[in-house]
Amino acid sequence: VIWIDSCAPQHTPTSLSMSWRPTYRSSKFRNVYGKVANREHCFDGIPITKNVHDNHFCAVNAKYLAIVTESSGGGSFIVIPVSQAGRIEPHHPKVCGHHGNVLDIKWNPFFENIIASCSEDSSVRIWEIPDGGLRRNMTEAMMELYGHSRRVGLIEWHPTSSGILFSAGYDYKILIWNLEQGEPVKMIDCHSDVILCMSFNTDGSLLATSCKDKKLRIIEPRSGRVLQHANCKNHRVNRVVFLGNMKRLLTTGVSRWNTRQIALWDQEDLSMSMVEEEIDGLSGLLFPFYDADTHMLYLAGKGDGNIRYYEITTEKPYLQYLMEFRSPAPQKGLGVMPKHGLDVAACEVFRFYKLVTLKGLIEPISMIVPRRSETYQEDIYPMTAGTEPALSASEWLSGINRDPVLISLKEGYQKPNQIVFKAPVKDKKGVVVNGIDLLENMPPRTENELLRMFFRQQEELRKMKEELTTKDVKIRQLELELNNLKNVSPVVNNV
């Protein structure tokens, strides 16, 4: 109720209404909505893995869609050209070279036929998918990378360098691989528990990690030095993502009351979060996705069908809730299409590929900005990172940092260069990182290898025991001879 004093100066109805009307922040993304693809544009009949590891099990680029599948006798994933939607044959060729379950897959951002995978067999492998997709099962990898002593749960490509790959294992270590040489060049050993998530800033000069030890860390990857860390006791961090060049981090996790929560951090000071916001009381993990071009944040819950989206601003309240996409089908994971693979004619600003395990279905979901005009919308498609690397692996390792090479999506993007990704020719030798030979105690990959290693170690123990017994006898003999010499010398002196 508004009381107007009769003695006060009278306002016009317009000015009176403006005095109490709430102010809305103008945003071009306020009406963004999610659009599910028609059934004929979905991928059906895929035996999606039932592994409970907290990853997406899905990777997508402008050419291919890769999904980790359920298989016996080792790990495998399927690769399908994005244009070949529909029902997938039960005997569709797979990539099946791993000896354990595949835990993560990632496409190289600069070579669209190159994909990396990591597995419970403690290996990381690099695969080259032929043009047009697989015609038969692929078992031979382009590169097999061994260095972790336990299973490898995470891999991430460097955002600007063409030949740098990061892997995080259950041995609590992060290895940096130089794929121009096919060897690890650095081991980051600052975590005291399993690493849950890795995220790079725009130029790849900083690495943020979340860990099961309840700490959020910002690391200088080339030196392995921890620049900042936060003890997240009230906000147990699960996932972390850099917010482009805003010098901010966003984490998803669980509050002290076991509710799902997000928190915003200043990368220069992790002593206290800038904002903490509770989402809901569900138990599924919250996957964050950030679009640096539109400053939009998407939150997708594992095990539910909702995708919430926000706009990130540099001023308070920092997080502006926009809308929520809802679906009754629960999602196991989500793949994200790179910007140059989007349909700009339909004003599509983001596209998810949703894994629906119960139906064996991969469902594309497009996030669309409603516009009446059919012309190119430059305000929602700024210059974006393309598929040309800014650095070689050796340049990045020497200390050089460069921002991504930007492209325009206006005329339809065509890759400007035809650089070929080549695997190095390697001799079998020890891999020494930080003074430690990572291959000295390489874990077995199969049961037969385990038995062979067991019997070999038993034989080595038997030989060592025999050698120890022989040396003990020799030592006793030398001690007796020494005592005899001591007893003889006084007699000689007396004479």
Side-chain angles (χ1 to χ4, degrees), residues 401-412:
N401 292 320
R402 285 192 195 130
D403 286 331
V405 178
L406 302 181
I407 59 167
S408 171
L409 303 178
K410 186 171 184 178
E411 301 299 333

Side-chain angles (χ1 to χ4, degrees), residues 216-268:
L216 171 66
R217 294 174 175 88
I218 296 179
I219 301 166
E220 203 290 308
R222 281 173 291 225
S223 66
R225 187 163 55 95
V226 179
L227 304 179
Q228 294 275 336
H229 78 273
N231 290 309
C232 307
K233 294 180 180 177
N234 297 332
H235 168 75
R236 296 197 303 275
V237 172
N238 285 323
R239 289 291 181 272
V240 59
V241 62
F242 264 104
L243 301 181
N245 284 324
M246 299 177 75
K247 294 192 174 181
R248 305 268 169 82
L249 295 164
L250 185 123
T251 59
T252 67
V254 182
S255 72
R256 66 173 77 179
W257 297 282
N258 285 331
T259 56
R260 295 199 291 192
Q261 189 180 50
I262 58 174
L264 192 67
W265 306 80
D266 182 352
Q267 77 176 41
E268 305 292 341

Side-chain angles (χ1 to χ4, degrees), residues 43 60-65 80-85 337 351 353:
F43 300 82
V60 64
N61 63 20
K63 289 176 72 173
Y64 300 109
L65 172 67
I80 310 162
V82 171
S83 58
Q84 294 180 12
M337 175 65 76
R351 189 192 303 164
Y353 284 78

Side-chain angles (χ1 to χ4, degrees), residues 184-299:
V185 290
K186 179 70 184 174
M187 180 170 66
I188 300 173
D189 190 10
C190 61
H191 299 85
S192 59
D193 211 325
V194 177
I195 298 143
L196 301 174
C197 185
M198 296 188 289
S199 177
F200 289 99
N201 65 343
T202 304
D203 64 3
S205 60
L206 295 175
L207 173 69
T209 64
S210 60
C211 182
K212 220 170 180 179
D213 62 8
K214 300 178 183 177
K215 286 187 179 179
L216 171 66
R217 294 174 175 88
I218 296 179
I219 301 166
E220 203 290 308
R222 281 173 291 225
S223 66
R225 187 163 55 95
V226 179
L227 304 179
Q228 294 275 336
H229 78 273
N231 290 309
C232 307
K233 294 180 180 177
N234 297 332
H235 168 75
R236 296 197 303 275
V237 172
N238 285 323
R239 289 291 181 272
V240 59
V241 62
F242 264 104
L243 301 181
N245 284 324
M246 299 177 75
K247 294 192 174 181
R248 305 268 169 82
L249 295 164
L250 185 123
T251 59
T252 67
V254 182
S255 72
R256 66 173 77 179
W257 297 282
N258 285 331
T259 56
R260 295 199 291 192
Q261 189 180 50
I262 58 174
L264 192 67
W265 306 80
D266 182 352
Q267 77 176 41
E268 305 292 341
D269 181 15
L270 297 184
S271 59
M272 185 178 292
S273 60
M274 299 168 62
V275 175
E276 289 184 3
E277 184 174 321
E278 292 190 13
I279 303 299
D280 56 32
L282 299 178
S283 58
L285 184 73
L286 274 178
F287 291 118
F289 302 90
Y290 180 67
D291 183 358
D293 297 340
T294 61
H295 304 296
M296 284 180 66
L297 170 76
Y298 300 86
L299 296 178

Side-chain angles (χ1 to χ4, degrees), residues 137-197:
N137 284 353
M138 180 178 281
T139 56
E140 293 296 322
M142 194 180 189
M143 276 188 266
E144 294 184 15
L145 309 174
Y146 293 101
H148 289 281
S149 60
R150 296 183 67 187
R151 58 181 171 167
V152 187
L154 285 172
I155 46 176
E156 287 290 345
W157 292 94
H158 191 273
T160 60
S161 176
S162 57
I164 296 291
L165 180 71
F166 285 63
S167 63
Y170 276 64
D171 52 6
Y172 312 157
K173 295 175 177 62
I174 296 174
L175 291 182
I176 304 176
W177 301 88
N178 179 356
L179 300 185
E180 291 176 359
Q181 300 174 359
E183 294 179 351
V185 290
K186 179 70 184 174
M187 180 170 66
I188 300 173
D189 190 10
C190 61
H191 299 85
S192 59
D193 211 325
V194 177
I195 298 143
L196 301 174
C197 185

Side-chain angles (χ1 to χ4, degrees), residues 313-462:
T313 59
T314 54
E315 301 171 354
K316 287 185 178 182
Y318 305 121
L319 286 164
Q320 186 74 33
Y321 175 78
L322 295 174
M323 212 177 291
E324 180 176 358
F325 168 81
R326 294 187 179 183
S327 167
Q331 56 221 6
K332 183 180 182 69
L334 293 160
V336 174
M337 175 65 76
K339 269 298 172 80
H340 62 272
L342 299 180
D343 183 1
V344 296
C347 295
E348 184 184 34
V349 291
F350 216 73
R351 189 192 303 164
F352 293 102
Y353 284 78
K354 172 179 171 177
L355 275 62
V356 185
T357 312
L358 298 176
K359 299 178 182 178
L361 184 71
I362 312 298
E363 194 175 61
I365 302 170
S366 299
M367 311 307 293
I368 294 173
V369 179
R371 295 281 174 95
R372 290 183 179 177
S373 173
E374 295 182 1
T375 59
Y376 180 74
Q377 308 291 314
E378 292 194 16
D379 59 328
I380 60 175
Y381 295 114
M383 297 286 282
T384 189
T387 58
E388 184 180 354
L391 293 162
S392 66
S394 53
E395 285 176 324
W396 183 78
L397 291 168
S398 69
I400 302 172
N401 292 320
R402 285 192 195 130
D403 286 331
V405 178
L406 302 181
I407 59 167
S408 171
L409 303 178
K410 186 171 184 178
E411 301 299 333
Y413 175 63
Q414 297 293 326
K415 189 173 180 180
N417 59 344
Q418 296 296 326
I419 306 172
V420 179
F421 188 91
K422 292 183 179 179
V425 178
K426 283 177 57 183
D427 297 325
K428 295 289 183 184
K429 59 181 181 178
V431 177
V432 179
V433 178
N434 297 6
I436 301 170
D437 190 345
L438 299 177
L439 298 184
E440 185 179 1
N441 296 309
M442 179 54 58
R445 290 175 286 164
T446 64
E447 188 175 348
N448 288 334
E449 284 186 19
L450 178 64
L451 288 171
R452 284 199 297 270
M453 180 178 284
F454 172 74
F455 290 124
R456 188 167 61 246
Q457 287 178 345
Q458 292 294 312
E459 182 65 19
E460 287 175 1
L461 283 171
R462 187 185 62 78

